[in-house]
Structure formats: C-alpha cells, structure tokens
Amino acid sequence: MTVETLAVEPGRVRQMWHLLEPLHAVLYYAPEAFEEAAALGYDVTERWPSYFAWRAAPLGPAGAGPVASAFYSFSPQTVGRYVPGVWATAAPEAVLAARLRAVDRTYRALLGDEAVAGPELAEAAALARRAAEAASTAGRPLAAANAALPWPEAPHLVLWQAATILREHRGDGHLAALLAAGLDPAEALVSFAAVGAAAETTFASRGWPPAEWTAARARLATRGLVHPNGTATDAGRALRTEVEHRTDLLATTPWSTLGPDPTARLAELLGGPWLAVIGSGLLPSENTLGIGKV
C-alpha cells in the first residue's frame, strides 16, 4: 500500500492517534481508576501494579514472557516484578469489569454526565467503533485481545473501548516497524530519546538498567545511528522518521475503511473530550510515546 492509494492521508492517521491516545491512557492516571484498583487489592502507592493489570487483562492470565513481548519497551525484569503476580490479586475477568467501572467514573468526572449522555458523544462512539471493527488484528496480539472483548452498551464506554483497540492496533504495528528497522526493545527507546522524543529520564520508567541502556547506545553507535553523546545522527533521525511513517501506514486501514469525511467528523467530535482529558492535568506533560513531538 502506497501513500497515493490511501483514502486517508498519514497525517490524518497520526492526528487520530493523538486525539484518541489520551482518551485511552487517562485510565492509567485517574484517581477513580486507582480507587477501583485498590478495591481489587492492588497496591496503588505506585501506578505499575494497576497499569499492568489494566492493560494486560485482555490477554488472560498471561505470564511475564508474553506480556514483555507484547509490551516490548519494558525491560523483562520490570515486567517480571508485576506479572504474573497481578493475577494472584485479581483474576483478569475481575480486572476487566473493574476497568470499565473505572472508565465510567473517570469519563463522568472529566466530561460530565450531560456530555456523557449527549448525542455528540454517541455519534463519536459509533464512528470510533466502526473504525475499530475495521482494524485487522492478524499479528497484533494486544489489538486482537481487546477486539475480542464484548462491546459495552454505554456510548462513552464504547468510545473508550474503540480508542483502546485502535491505539493497540497502532502500537502492535509500531512494533512491526521497529522490528523491520532492526531496533530491539532497548534500542527502540534509546533511539527515540536520541531524536528528542522525550528525555532519557522519562524512559527510565521502562526499567532498563543503566548498563543495558549504555550497551544499546553502543550498538546504535556502531550502526552510525547515534553520536557518542547519545544524540541521533542524520542516519538515526532518518531511521526513526521511517519508523513513524511506516507506523502511520500500518495504522491506516481502519481510517481508510471509515472514509475521509467520517474520519474528519470524528476528529471534530473528539475535540471536546480531548480537551477535557488534557486540561485535567492527569496525564504527564512528557511521555514515552512522543505525542506532541512526533
């Protein structure tokens, strides 16, 4: 598939990710979600027990190996600190039920009951669901696991689930682009930091020990992708640009299937919820996904 044959341009595809990602990711930061996680028995003095539970639950009681593979950028040691232990606290089925309760409470708190029950959100949910249902999940484990879940009835929960399927669909495709570029999990982060997507301290949340980070940088330097100080060379910037472009192409099918005009309408409808989430201050100003910088 080439850019010329796409019904929706890559720029629009990336815009839809920028609009939908915060609507999904607020789950990992909202106080209502931490309250639901605490009710299940999770330690909420840090966000990682609930993060791994919320995000991995669609996979079932998966072990550390499959979760580290699917999440890719986390060090296996970090994943192993929480998985499979999170399933001893609560079974995936209980986590999934609590996840929807957390989203319901969070969206009502951020958007208000009137907007949650309003026609614009219902229209947005219907359009987002159409896009999500058009997403091929072959070779995309996290997208497939979320797409296999039953759809909730409430439109705001449909919107969140569609956003989740679409972001995991894009994320799974991003991993394919990284693999095609020859970037292993640590190298993916080091190379992203090298182009200024986020500070190295932001990527520390993925748990790579300093020695492994340094070794990954050395491997990239050998390939001519980073300078000795860790900044990207021209070749390194070109490779990361190609990774992001390929990610956009691999994420295009849902939007091309939905069509340019409905996609543009969905972008318009998402403006209010996006502003509410961003304006809440719940999400970090800098993130490991590079939103706002790529």
Side-chain angles (χ1 to χ4, degrees), residues 1-293:
M1 182 179 291
T2 64
V3 175
E4 290 76 19
T5 64
L6 299 177
V8 175
E9 292 296 317
R12 174 69 84 180
V13 174
R14 194 173 301 189
Q15 179 200 26
M16 298 312 295
W17 170 50
H18 286 186
L19 288 169
L20 287 167
E21 177 65 29
L23 302 187
H24 161 82
V26 71
L27 169 71
Y28 307 129
Y29 299 93
E32 294 82 3
F34 285 117
E35 289 171 4
E36 292 290 343
L40 289 175
Y42 290 109
D43 176 8
V44 294
T45 58
E46 59 171 335
R47 76 181 185 95
W48 297 117
S50 58
Y51 171 86
F52 281 101
W54 296 140
R55 192 173 175 214
L59 297 171
V67 172
S69 174
F71 286 19
Y72 201 72
S73 66
F74 284 88
S75 75
Q77 299 94 320
T78 295
V79 176
R81 278 200 292 273
Y82 303 101
V83 180
V86 290
W87 312 132
T89 300
E93 294 81 3
V95 172
L96 289 171
R99 191 170 81 159
L100 285 179
R101 291 196 299 271
V103 173
D104 175 53
R105 294 178 58 200
T106 298
Y107 272 30
R108 289 182 185 280
L110 293 177
L111 307 180
D113 288 338
E114 183 176 350
V116 161
E120 289 194 347
L121 193 140
E123 183 184 357
L127 289 170
R129 178 172 176 172
R130 282 171 54 191
E133 290 180 332
S136 171
T137 58
R140 303 185 196 236
L142 284 171
N146 282 280
L149 299 175
W151 285 96
E153 293 184 8
H156 62 296
L157 299 182
V158 170
L159 177 60
W160 183 84
Q161 184 153 315
T164 299
I165 294 167
L166 290 164
R167 71 91 68 177
E168 298 293 17
H169 175 268
R170 181 185 177 91
D172 289 336
H174 183 62
L175 302 192
L178 291 171
L179 288 168
L183 296 171
D184 68 26
E187 293 165 357
L189 297 184
V190 174
S191 64
F192 212 26
V195 299
E200 288 189 8
T201 52
T202 299
F203 292 109
S205 66
R206 271 40 190 166
W208 293 96
E212 294 190 46
W213 184 275
T214 300
R217 178 185 288 174
R219 294 194 296 274
L220 294 175
T222 298
R223 293 173 60 184
L225 300 176
V226 299
H227 294 294
N229 67 357
T231 59
T233 63
D234 289 344
R237 290 187 176 279
L239 184 65
R240 286 301 318 200
T241 297
E242 174 58 27
V243 165
E244 299 306 320
H245 177 63
R246 179 56 55 185
T247 300
D248 289 334
L249 293 181
L250 291 172
T252 298
T253 298
W255 307 113
S256 291
T257 303
L258 183 62
D261 291 342
T263 298
R265 174 58 177 164
L266 178 57
E268 178 185 357
L269 291 167
L270 292 177
W274 181 87
L275 283 173
V277 173
I278 296 298
S280 71
L282 292 173
L283 301 182
S285 59
E286 187 171 73
N287 58 80
T288 58
L289 301 179
I291 289 183
K293 296 188 178 181

